[in-house]
Amino acid sequence: EKAAVAAQEKERKEKEKKGAAKTLPKAQGKKFAEWVQSELRKLTGSDDDTLGEFLMSLHSAEEVKEYVMDYLGPQGKDFCDQFVIRKNMDDFEVVGSKKKEG
């Protein structure tokens, strides 16, 4: 029985990992993504969207900070702070708007 419970818990965690990316309404998500890519272009001088897409898929502010510092160094600190604030604001607005509708 313990093995079955452990297997179910492991399966649940795997599903959470796969589907846990926070999705925003298209308008908010697109606006946020455009801001992210624009800021990264300023910092890196590159049109490569890979880093921005990766950062948007992360779930915790600590992960975002770790990767931004690894890839951009100290020059990315302001971007990182704004990224976390904006992503949290978007998530908050999504939750808030759902409550108002219901």
Side-chain angles (χ1 to χ4, degrees):
E1 187 175 333
K2 286 183 181 181
V5 171
Q8 287 176 342
E9 182 66 15
K10 183 178 179 182
E11 184 178 330
R12 183 185 66 78
K13 286 182 179 181
E14 286 298 316
K15 285 181 182 177
E16 281 181 1
K17 283 182 186 177
K18 290 178 185 173
K22 295 178 180 176
T23 55
L24 303 172
K26 285 184 181 179
Q28 283 180 301
K30 184 176 180 184
K31 185 177 177 182
F32 179 64
E34 288 172 354
W35 175 84
V36 169
Q37 300 307 346
S38 171
E39 293 300 307
L40 286 175
R41 274 186 218 107
K42 291 176 194 173
L43 288 168
T44 65
S46 170
D47 286 341
D48 186 354
D49 294 344
T50 308
L51 178 58
E53 290 171 7
F54 175 69
L55 292 174
M56 288 185 282
S57 75
L58 297 175
H59 306 293
S60 78
E62 289 305 313
E63 285 180 306
V64 171
K65 289 175 186 175
E66 182 179 326
Y67 283 104
V68 168
M69 294 309 289
D70 284 350
Y71 286 96
L72 301 176
Q75 71 176 8
K77 185 184 180 328
D78 289 338
F79 164 77
C80 183
D81 293 343
Q82 284 297 309
F83 179 95
V84 170
I85 290 168
R86 287 171 184 248
K87 186 165 186 186
N88 287 338
M89 289 293 286
D90 281 346
D91 290 340
F92 178 76
E93 288 173 13
V94 171
V95 171
S97 65
K98 285 182 182 175
K99 287 181 181 175
K100 290 176 188 172
E101 290 173 9

